[in-house]
Amino acid sequence: MSALLEIENLRVAFNTRHGEVTALDSVSLTVNAGETLGVVGESGCGKSITALSVMGLIPSPPGRIAGGAIRLAGEDLTRVSEARMRALRGAELAMIFQEPMTSLNPVFTVGDQIAEAIMLHQKVGHAQAFRDAVALLDRVGIPSPDRRARDYPHQLSGGMRQRVMIAMAVSCRPRVLIADEPTTALDVTVQAQIFDLLNEIQRDFGAAIILITHDMGAISEMADRVAVMYAGRVIEEADADDVLDHPQHPYTRGLISCIPALGKGDTELREIPGVVPPLHRLGAGCAFAERCAHRNGRCDSGKPLLVNHGHHPAACHAVQEGRI
Amino acid sequence: MSVLLDVQDLTVQFTLPRQGLFGPRPVLEAVRQVSFRLEQGRALGIVGESGSGKTTAAMATIRLVEAASGKVIFQGEDLLQLDDAAMRQRRRDVQLIFQDPYSSLNPRARVADIVREPMDLMEIGTPEERRARVTDLFRLVGLRPDQLSLFPHQFSGGQRQRISIARALTTNPKLLVCDEPVSALDVAIQAQILNLLARLKAELGLSYLFISHDLGVVRHVCDDVAVMYLGKIVEMAPREALFDTPQHPYTQALLSAAPSLARRKSRGYVRPVKISGDPPSPINPPKGCAFVERCPKAQDICRRVQPLLESRGQNRVACHFPG
Amino acid sequence: MTDAVAFKPESPAREAWRMFRRNIPAMIGVVVLSIIVLATLWGTFFFAGNPYEIVWAPHEAPGVAPEFLLGTDYLGRDIFAGLVTGGGPTLAVGAAAAAITMVIGISLGALAGFYGGWVDNLLMRITEFFQVLPTLLFAMVLVTLFSPTLTTIALAIGVVSWPQTARLTRAEVMKIKELEYVTAARAIGAKNRRIIWQVILPNAAPPLIVSATLTIGVAILFEAGLSFLGLGDPNTMSWGLMIGSNRAYILDAWWPVTFPGLAIFLTVFSVSLIGDGLNDAFNPKLRER
Ligand SMILES: Nc1ncnc2c1ncn2[C@@H]1O[C@H](COP(=O)(O)OP(=O)(O)OP(=O)(O)O)[C@@H](O)[C@H]1O
Ligand SMILES: Nc1ncnc2c1ncn2[C@@H]1O[C@H](COP(=O)(O)OP(=O)(O)O)[C@@H](O)[C@H]1O
Ligand code: SF4
Ligand code: SF4
Ligand SMILES: [Mg+2]
Ligand SMILES: [Mg+2]
């Protein structure tokens, strides 16, 4: 059986003042219904661009999908018309953004905004849609939902706004729900509430969730499978336990060991030196080479491919050669 | 160990704009009778939700926000009693690092000037000595001296945070207030900055007042931890005691909310302590315990009587039913 | 540290200039304005003719007499001579009025924005008072009360147009003073005066520079307006004066009014092209393109 959502060899390019740069290169990912895929990596590694590609929301120009396919239940989203994409967006595919403040329209009540989203995809009147909106607000755990539905976004706390976003996103029971760093702007206690809510919703609706985050702890709590991204490529992909307990790629190892863990103190953190290279400076070799302790001559001449070298797929020459 | 900083009953109030034309001006108590001590060479962490008053308390401590009442005894002298000129002199001993590496550096100044400015203002050393010190500081925080003439926007977030740290160290301060110094950074960069801060603390004998919402970071950096909720310290303890035997229900909730590699979805992890809702408004704080609406242990008395900080083992906790 | 990203040093001003250079309308503005300013300088310092002298028959059309290319006015004075000598006073009044506007507006706006509270309240009430005055009328009153010299005209224009600058400055200062680098300056013991002048205002400069540029254009128009109404300095040739004195005969001869009008239009237009270009160049969002 093929997966619900399949991204295959996706390439996304942007026109910049440095010429055309490749923001995503040979990205392949799959998600099944009822499963959570965690996508992790530092800023600028291509997580959001991956999400926006699936939603058909790459800003164009300057961006364009330069190759590959995105299949939702067999239908290639890179080839469908904009009208078809609009119909899919919100109904089959939904997305929650990082900043709940700016992703809601400040001049309409939250109830109206959710009702609007419902009416876009279902043949119901405003009164019914508004009743559904209130029920959804109740479902996402907003107290006194009928009163809150008449509030404007600025009257809600950040956590409540993110719940509203989730309510809107799940209003048409999408098959794929993408959450792009949904809790970065929120406090830990509220983050915990949102995570619990996403899990409940998945259990109820059986949606596939793509959770984008830079926090390995969040991955551990939420994800069934993990894809680690670096400089526009997936550099490791496997079940969450495999990645967390047996990280292969030096970058994944670094990401895991540089977290100050709750359980211990004092010992010096392992650090990954340097920063993610800008896209226009990516050369022929491994993009991680400048920060990597296992680099050798081969790393500078050829990009490692994402293949299984024993445990699970990782894109690294050293892993392939059995040096680490 | 000598006490470097002794803050007693610090209270900070903000008067908000009038509601309506003739309405009263509401008063927001952002920090309510906060007391803590910081010993020389140690780091005190302050954790809590956003809006709980961490920044305001720290800023009031070093007089960048005006306190309504209380004492800030720094090296035996109450900072809140000093006149402006004397306080400006004292500023060389208390410096700070901000959360946002983008807005904390003047975009129109070269980084060498940014790092040198405190010495210019306080007339420390000759121009050559100042230049030499800037170069030394640059090396100390892991930047290259050939980057001295660049502008802030030409650096990455982590590098900017290094520049902030260099600027803060220029005058050889004794106390460094770090307000979420790594929250805006990626984990990999965060580790670089945390290691740098740890090294500087050991090498220079600095004391930190370290604000963070990330418990893992606090655990890594701090010797003691204070937990704030709605303007008050609700629990304070040495690091191990706070993390291993949290006494306040809010501390427990924070610890159980913090994501950790040990908690796996695959192993059916379910959060043990859940709290719902948001903190109440600081404009009319509840009469009794501020946590009462969200507390799983709340009783009648919590609504009526404000719990005070009391010792319980190594912890000091403000709760009627700790443990 | 191995932070691999190496940058070429480029100051914010230089970066803005790089952006500005690529803006074609703005560069056209620069070229046109440069030609006007050069012609004016030449007219002021090297031109031998006298714009007041009656040199030919009145209302000679342009192109008829080869030595008076642009024709003559109702008294038979050379229009070309008027244009090149009148440009200096016109541009000077514009620049001086803009400078006065900026000095008053920036000082009051910065004080109001930085200190807030009663200082802000007081200064903003004053600003509002000046803002609700009908500007042209008020300037006319000022000019008639005092003698209509270039200085009084520049002052009058400055006095009526500063409130907008003050509001803009106040808004910018209020925004910037909340930023952390201002707190950082306080934390190292900088005094308020230093914070306002060396930290906040340089960062507020871009919109203020744009507004100063546009103010020059407005001031030139204002001066022309006053002269047109017969309130200009009758003893100093300026474009406005040329229009003002010839306006009665516009139906008999179009050129004595049109050429100075065109000069004013080109000046104001090129100045506003430059203003727009500066605005774009300072806007960091557009910069990456
Ligand atoms: N509009 C654009 N024009 C040019 N490049 C872009 C654009 N949007 C994104 N990019 C580039 O694509 C790469 C991936 O960006 P993306 O936003 O997906 O990163 P990310 O992993 O989501 O980072 P963050 O955690 O900061 O959101 C980055 O290097 C970015 O600079
Ligand atoms: N200048 C101010 N005017 C009014 N209220 C303020 C101001 N600064 C902070 N506050 C309020 O004080 C409380 C504590 O703020 P802060 O210390 O910044 O919180 P934290 O750092 O924990 O996020 C919040 O309720 C905040 O809204
Ligand atoms: S391919 Fe080479 S440089 Fe890249 S991660 Fe593996 S060992 Fe390091
Ligand atoms: S005092 Fe009562 S409400 Fe407050 S934290 Fe303790 S048990 Fe909970
Ligand atoms: Mg992103
Ligand atoms: Mg804060």
Side-chain angles (χ1 to χ4, degrees):
Chain A
M1 196 202 84
S2 69
L4 173 61
L5 181 75
E6 276 182 322
I7 303 177
E8 199 183 311
N9 276 326
L10 185 66
R11 203 176 100 85
V12 173
F14 279 98
N15 259 319
T16 68
R17 63 170 158 138
H18 303 287
E20 186 168 273
V21 299
T22 306
L24 293 185
D25 199 3
S26 331
V27 168
S28 297
L29 293 170
T30 58
V31 210
N32 294 305
E35 180 189 62
T36 300
L37 170 71
V39 179
V40 67
E42 281 171 275
S43 280
C45 282
K47 308 183 298 292
S48 302
I49 298 297
T50 307
L52 293 174
S53 310
V54 174
M55 298 298 293
L57 291 175
I58 294 284
S60 164
R64 71 190 171 91
I65 292 187
I70 303 170
R71 275 187 289 272
L72 177 69
E75 182 179 10
D76 187 351
L77 304 183
T78 61
R79 293 171 192 282
V80 301
S81 68
E82 179 54 31
R84 172 72 183 141
M85 204 60 221
R86 261 200 305 276
L88 288 173
R89 236 182 266 141
E92 306 273 309
L93 301 164
M95 182 157 170
I96 309 165
F97 296 89
Q98 173 169 350
E99 190 35 80
M101 181 82 94
T102 49
S103 35
L104 286 168
N105 186 338
V107 301
F108 293 107
T109 65
V110 295
D112 279 338
Q113 293 186 55
I114 300 173
E116 190 68 27
I118 295 173
M119 286 177 348
L120 264 172
H121 296 285
Q122 293 168 20
K123 295 220 171 320
V124 293
H126 184 268
Q128 179 59 41
F130 199 85
R131 273 196 298 279
D132 291 351
V134 172
L136 279 164
L137 288 177
D138 191 33
R139 176 66 197 82
V140 296
I142 288 188
S144 34
D146 32 356
R147 195 163 52 78
R148 285 303 187 184
R150 290 177 172 77
D151 278 351
Y152 290 89
H154 73 266
Q155 292 169 295
L156 305 179
S157 68
M160 283 210 251
R161 278 193 290 255
Q162 202 58 297
R163 285 168 191 274
V164 170
M165 286 301 298
I166 293 176
M168 203 184 299
V170 301
S171 61
C172 299
R173 301 193 160 223
R175 289 201 275 175
V176 177
L177 178 61
I178 303 177
D180 187 359
E181 313 223 10
T183 57
T184 305
L186 305 176
D187 284 309
V188 274
T189 52
V190 185
Q191 163 169 298
Q193 297 167 14
I194 298 290
F195 282 172
D196 291 344
L197 174 63
L198 284 175
N199 280 334
E200 283 169 36
I201 283 186
Q202 182 168 57
R203 233 172 294 134
D204 291 4
F205 299 172
I209 294 183
I210 301 180
L211 176 70
I212 295 177
T213 174
H214 56 256
D215 183 350
M216 276 291 183
I219 291 285
S220 167
E221 273 183 25
M222 295 289 293
D224 301 297
R225 276 187 317 112
V226 182
V228 185
M229 292 192 69
Y230 191 78
R233 287 169 169 258
V234 176
I235 52 107
E236 181 158 354
E237 204 225 319
D239 284 350
D241 281 343
D242 289 336
V243 172
L244 293 171
D245 295 333
H246 309 283
Q248 303 287 303
H249 196 285
Y251 181 59
T252 317
R253 293 168 192 243
L255 277 186
I256 291 174
S257 62
C258 71
I259 306 172
L262 270 185
K264 58 180 202 284
D266 271 349
T267 48
E268 183 165 294
L269 294 171
R270 269 189 54 191
E271 46 182 87
I272 308 176
V275 293
V276 181
L279 295 176
H280 62 97
R281 289 160 163 270
L282 295 182
C286 171
F288 190 62
E290 281 191 356
R291 308 173 74 183
C292 183
H294 303 281
R295 165 190 199 173
N296 68 10
R298 228 182 122 194
C299 305
D300 294 331
S301 51
K303 286 207 196 312
L305 298 176
L306 183 65
V307 264
N308 194 336
H309 304 296
H311 207 279
H312 58 257
C316 172
H317 295 308
V319 174
Q320 185 198 359
E321 292 159 10
R323 289 194 282 121
I324 45 172
Chain B
M1 279 285 159
S2 64
V3 175
L4 177 72
L5 177 71
D6 185 0
V7 172
Q8 298 167 14
D9 289 324
L10 188 68
T11 298
V12 182
Q13 298 178 335
F14 294 109
T15 311
L16 304 180
R18 219 181 285 286
Q19 309 200 299
L21 202 52
F22 300 106
R25 297 177 130 238
V27 173
L28 183 159
E29 260 193 1
V31 175
R32 304 187 284 156
Q33 283 117 39
V34 160
S35 304
F36 58 83
R37 281 170 171 222
L38 175 59
E39 276 161 19
Q40 183 87 50
R42 283 173 81 87
L44 170 66
I46 305 182
V47 299
E49 264 162 307
S50 97
S52 59
K54 310 178 293 291
T55 304
T56 310
M59 291 295 181
T61 301
I62 57 174
R63 271 191 60 180
L64 288 172
V65 161
E66 198 181 337
S69 61
K71 285 190 176 141
V72 176
I73 314 289
F74 179 73
Q75 298 184 310
E77 173 181 53
D78 187 354
L79 293 184
L80 301 188
Q81 301 300 325
L82 297 178
D83 62 25
D84 284 356
M87 187 60 215
R88 263 202 296 279
Q89 279 307 309
R90 235 38 109 248
R91 293 223 177 270
R92 70 173 65 190
D93 292 330
V94 290
Q95 280 297 311
L96 80 163
I97 304 168
F98 297 91
Q99 165 172 4
D100 184 353
Y102 292 89
S103 70
S104 57
L105 301 174
N106 183 348
R108 302 204 161 255
R110 289 180 194 272
V111 294
D113 299 334
I114 290 176
V115 174
R116 205 193 51 239
E117 192 180 14
M119 289 187 282
D120 294 349
L121 282 174
M122 297 177 189
E123 292 168 1
I124 300 170
T126 64
E128 286 74 45
E129 284 167 356
R130 291 178 199 171
R131 253 198 301 280
R133 172 122 180 97
V134 171
T135 312
D136 290 346
L137 284 166
F138 244 59
R139 288 213 184 85
L140 181 68
V141 299
L143 292 166
R144 296 194 314 270
D146 62 286
Q147 297 169 314
L148 276 168
S149 62
L150 301 186
F151 288 86
H153 72 274
Q154 293 163 322
F155 291 86
S156 66
Q159 288 176 316
R160 287 173 191 230
Q161 216 53 326
R162 291 175 195 271
I163 296 167
S164 278
I165 295 172
R167 168 178 60 190
L169 294 178
T170 308
T171 56
N172 272 321
K174 303 201 166 53
L175 171 66
L176 211 52
V177 173
C178 310
D179 188 0
E180 308 254 10
V182 295
S183 311
L185 306 176
D186 272 310
V187 273
I189 313 299
Q190 183 174 316
Q192 297 170 3
I193 299 296
L194 289 177
N195 282 340
L196 172 65
L197 286 173
R199 202 185 82 215
L200 293 171
K201 179 173 161 235
E203 281 175 13
L204 307 176
L206 291 172
S207 311
Y208 292 155
L209 199 55
F210 192 98
I211 298 171
S212 179
H213 66 267
D214 184 332
L215 294 160
V217 168
V218 166
R219 167 135 213 182
H220 188 77
V221 177
C222 299
D223 305 294
D224 304 286
V225 185
V227 181
M228 281 188 79
Y229 192 79
L230 207 72
K232 277 188 161 303
I233 292 183
V234 295
E235 180 160 10
M236 194 159 29
R239 167 176 57 199
E240 307 305 335
L242 191 106
F243 283 90
D244 297 343
T245 54
Q247 299 294 313
H248 197 281
Y250 177 63
T251 315
Q252 292 162 358
L254 272 184
L255 287 174
S256 101
S260 136
L261 289 184
R263 301 170 183 162
R264 291 292 164 79
K265 185 178 187 190
S266 60
R267 298 180 199 142
Y269 170 75
V270 180
R271 218 175 296 289
V273 190
K274 286 190 190 182
I275 56 170
S276 51
D278 298 306
S281 153
I283 295 185
N284 285 310
K287 191 153 62 58
C289 173
F291 191 54
V292 66
E293 296 300 337
R294 308 168 77 191
C295 181
K297 286 191 185 172
Q299 303 281 321
D300 221 23
I301 181 177
C302 306
R303 247 171 247 289
R304 288 179 281 112
V305 184
Q306 174 132 207
L308 300 174
L309 271 182
E310 278 166 25
S311 292
R312 208 181 138 86
Q314 284 184 290
N315 303 31
R316 289 171 57 70
V317 53
C319 172
H320 294 304
F321 307 101
Chain C
M1 209 41 263
T2 46
D3 281 354
V5 199
F7 300 93
K8 60 179 187 321
E10 189 177 44
S11 72
R14 188 182 293 270
E15 200 175 334
W17 169 234
R18 188 166 53 72
M19 282 300 299
F20 185 83
R21 254 183 347 205
R22 282 199 254 159
N23 187 328
I24 292 166
M27 287 314 285
I28 292 177
V30 168
V31 171
V32 173
L33 190 65
S34 308
I35 293 172
I36 292 172
V37 169
L38 285 178
T40 305
L41 286 176
W42 174 79
T44 309
F45 296 109
F46 301 107
F47 182 64
N50 178 352
Y52 303 101
E53 198 183 337
I54 296 173
V55 291
W56 197 259
H59 283 167
E60 183 67 80
V64 176
E67 53 284 48
F68 308 115
L69 257 187
L70 301 181
T72 60
D73 73 355
Y74 73 110
L75 292 175
R77 300 183 295 194
D78 180 9
I79 291 180
F80 178 78
L83 277 188
V84 292
T85 50
T90 304
L91 296 182
V93 168
I100 294 167
T101 304
M102 292 326 271
V103 168
I104 305 179
I106 290 179
S107 313
L108 296 192
L111 290 179
F114 186 78
Y115 287 103
W118 68 265
V119 181
D120 184 30
N121 266 329
L122 178 71
L123 292 177
M124 280 302 110
R125 291 303 85 77
I126 297 177
T127 311
E128 274 159 20
F129 173 77
F130 276 89
Q131 212 163 21
V132 296
L133 285 178
T135 42
L136 186 62
L137 218 60
F138 185 54
M140 284 166 63
V141 171
L142 285 181
V143 174
T144 8
L145 276 183
F146 306 95
S147 61
T149 61
L150 286 184
T151 321
T152 34
I153 292 173
L155 271 172
I157 298 173
V159 165
V160 299
S161 36
W162 63 266
Q164 224 175 341
T165 309
R167 288 190 165 274
L168 178 67
T169 311
R170 171 176 176 269
E172 283 298 306
V173 170
M174 281 171 61
K175 196 173 76 197
I176 294 171
K177 84 169 176 186
E178 297 299 328
L179 294 179
E180 286 178 337
Y181 58 78
V182 175
T183 313
R186 285 168 60 208
I188 58 175
K191 294 182 184 162
N192 286 342
R193 194 155 33 107
R194 183 185 171 90
I195 292 177
I196 295 176
W197 288 101
Q198 263 148 307
V199 180
I200 297 183
L201 281 180
N203 283 290
L208 295 179
I209 291 174
V210 173
S211 129
T213 321
L214 298 177
T215 306
I216 295 178
V218 172
I220 290 174
L221 284 178
F222 220 113
E223 190 270 341
L226 285 176
S227 304
F228 182 81
L229 294 172
L231 293 170
D233 182 348
N235 304 315
T236 313
M237 184 54 71
S238 73
W239 296 338
L241 184 69
M242 291 171 74
I243 299 178
S245 51
N246 282 294
R247 71 168 194 269
Y249 315 99
I250 189 162
L251 294 179
D252 305 325
W254 53 267
W255 53 95
V257 180
T258 304
F259 288 118
L262 203 62
I264 290 175
F265 167 76
L266 283 177
T267 311
V268 174
F269 188 60
S270 56
V271 161
S272 61
L273 285 181
I274 295 173
D276 276 352
L278 287 173
N279 196 17
D280 290 352
F282 285 129
N283 189 339
K285 281 213 180 91
L286 297 170
R287 212 175 267 167
E288 284 310 307
R289 295 285 148 80

